Amino acid sequence: MKPRRVLVLMHESLVPPESLKGLSDKEIDEFRTEYDVKAALEKAGHEVRALGLGDNLAELRSIITEWKPDVAFNLLEEFQGIVTYDQYVVAFLELMKLPYTGCNPRGMMISRDKALSKQILSYHRIPTPGFAVIRKGQRYRLPRKLKFPLFVKSVTEDASLGISQASVVPDADKLKERIQFIHEQTNSDALIEEYIEGRELYVGVLGNDRLRTLPVWEMDFGTLPDVMAGIATRKVKWDRRYQTKHGIRTGAAQNLPEGCAAYLDKLSKRIFRSLYLSGYARMDFRMRPDGSVFVLEANCNPNISREEDFADSALAAGLEYPALLEQIIRVGNNYQAAWRADEE
């Protein structure tokens, strides 16, 4: 791909330094994705500018108007401190006619609203755990169809915010406590769903009209299930010492039932299209011991640091990290070309 002017969008607190010399792994982890993407694009010959956004779009508008980037590489996960507001920044990019990477605003809105996305998946007869939404400030009655144990999380927050071992509740008293916790700590509605015991599988998807799935990846919880529930809490995902202690790792899924990989391939593409996603996404599944599969959620714009699951599974498919980023830029541009053609 010819060199481009690439504007990399990120939170203002995550703009990486030019060098990682002297920094600890814990310090680097805060901005690892931003550093990896910026460094890889620069090494590939692109002219790159990193723009940190907080609560104002004036600088974004100015740099688009004056520097005239060819594409925005979107790494935002929030805007004005609100997770769901990053979709409005992407909508602003569309208003400015600037191609961007990752998901479109509609797909971001739908997939980030876990209750809405599960309703859509249920409509399309895509298997997902039974669920109910408990609105903040309202009394509730547990639907009879839901059976304990249940899993409680925020309807809108991501990156495992608010998820811990206490998220798996065995009875009505614990359920009440956890719902109250989610309401107070995340200031959002609570989603309760049936807890699916089993293997946790991930499938990455790239593309828009033509979709490419990456090899099935798995979260190996190591010794964790021996002492507590095997769920992807923040400690499981981000705490290196905790991962080492319990032998937690991710890697290519082994010994899947016959036909399972092909089924997950088709199911992931159905989910991607049903939720109006674009660019790239990661589908999270649980598979019971009997082989039955349930989709937990679809993650638009998942973590794409060099050593994370998405990049690792892409590498297993023959896409090295620089090629993966180029592919993400290419499908982003193709999406923009499609809506521009529709306008004309």
Side-chain angles (χ1 to χ4, degrees):
M1 183 181 291
K2 68 178 182 179
R4 299 171 181 265
R5 289 184 174 182
V6 184
L7 178 62
V8 184
L9 301 181
M10 60 194 69
H11 190 271
E12 60 185 356
S13 67
L14 299 178
V15 177
E18 291 299 319
S19 171
L20 303 181
K21 187 176 180 179
L23 298 177
S24 67
D25 285 338
K26 185 176 181 180
E27 291 172 319
I28 296 171
D29 282 344
E30 293 295 320
F31 51 77
R32 186 176 295 276
T33 300
E34 290 74 13
Y35 179 85
D36 286 349
V37 169
K38 181 175 180 290
L41 292 175
E42 289 174 336
K43 189 173 182 180
H46 298 294
E47 185 179 353
V48 181
R49 288 194 187 183
L51 178 61
L53 294 177
D55 60 3
N56 195 306
L57 293 178
E59 189 175 0
L60 175 58
R61 182 183 181 90
S62 176
I63 199 170
I64 292 174
T65 303
E66 297 173 10
W67 189 51
K68 294 181 171 55
D70 297 305
V71 62
F73 203 112
N74 180 29
L75 296 178
L76 281 173
E77 294 183 346
E78 64 175 50
F79 183 66
Q80 296 183 350
I82 300 175
V83 171
T84 54
Y85 276 15
D86 58 344
Q87 69 197 45
Y88 301 124
V89 179
V90 177
F92 180 78
L93 296 176
E94 292 194 347
L95 290 175
M96 296 294 290
K97 308 298 185 186
L98 178 63
Y100 58 85
T101 64
C103 193
N104 66 85
R106 177 170 61 168
M108 294 174 75
M109 181 275 291
I110 293 174
S111 62
R112 294 277 178 78
D113 187 327
K114 296 180 178 64
L116 176 59
S117 63
K118 287 172 74 70
Q119 289 169 348
I120 293 173
L121 294 176
S122 297
Y123 173 82
H124 287 282
R125 298 183 180 179
I126 293 172
T128 185
F131 69 98
V133 176
I134 309 302
R135 304 294 180 187
K136 190 173 184 292
Q138 295 184 3
R139 298 181 64 182
Y140 72 91
R141 178 178 297 175
L142 182 66
R144 292 182 179 179
K145 63 180 180 179
L146 295 183
K147 306 298 182 184
F148 289 102
L150 297 173
F151 191 83
V152 187
K153 58 186 176 182
S154 166
V155 165
T156 56
E157 296 290 347
D158 60 3
S160 297
L161 184 63
I163 294 179
S164 69
Q165 288 295 323
S167 299
V168 180
V169 296
D171 54 48
D173 290 338
K174 293 295 184 181
L175 175 62
K176 183 178 179 180
E177 290 179 12
R178 197 62 191 177
I179 289 173
Q180 183 176 355
F181 174 85
I182 291 296
H183 287 168
E184 294 176 353
Q185 296 298 314
T186 69
N187 194 32
S188 66
D189 297 335
L191 176 71
I192 59 174
E193 62 182 10
E194 293 180 343
Y195 175 62
I196 305 298
E197 184 71 47
R199 299 172 67 175
E200 182 147 317
L201 306 173
Y202 308 131
V203 178
V205 183
L206 275 166
N208 298 311
D209 295 327
R210 298 183 62 183
L211 302 181
R212 174 182 183 178
T213 57
L214 303 177
V216 183
W217 228 241
E218 180 171 8
M219 170 73 77
D220 183 348
F221 292 101
T223 62
L224 189 64
D226 296 338
V227 291
M228 58 189 75
I231 56 175
T233 63
R234 289 184 71 83
K235 290 180 71 68
V236 166
K237 286 187 174 182
W238 308 114
D239 190 323
R240 291 172 179 265
R241 293 179 62 183
Y242 191 78
Q243 292 168 353
T244 301
K245 175 183 177 181
H246 290 285
I248 299 167
R249 58 177 294 277
T250 60
Q254 304 293 325
N255 303 315
L256 292 173
E258 184 177 355
C260 182
Y263 174 67
L264 289 173
D265 177 287
K266 293 181 179 179
L267 191 58
S268 297
K269 292 175 180 177
R270 285 183 62 202
I271 296 166
F272 194 94
R273 294 189 173 104
S274 297
L275 300 181
Y276 298 95
L277 302 178
S278 61
Y280 63 104
R282 190 194 73 226
M283 310 305 167
D284 296 358
F285 299 96
R286 278 277 177 147
M287 184 176 68
R288 283 176 170 160
D290 64 4
S292 57
V293 172
F294 298 83
V295 57
L296 300 183
E297 58 188 47
N299 294 279
C300 66
N301 300 350
N303 190 326
I304 53 168
S305 64
R306 185 182 288 270
E307 297 179 358
E308 266 296 318
D309 303 336
F310 198 92
D312 283 344
S313 59
L315 182 60
L319 268 179
E320 295 189 359
Y321 193 65
L324 171 63
L325 299 187
E326 297 289 358
Q327 181 70 12
I328 288 174
I329 290 176
R330 187 178 298 114
V331 298
N333 282 337
N334 286 343
Y335 176 76
Q336 295 298 316
W339 65 250
R340 283 177 174 172
D342 289 342
E343 281 185 341
E344 297 171 357

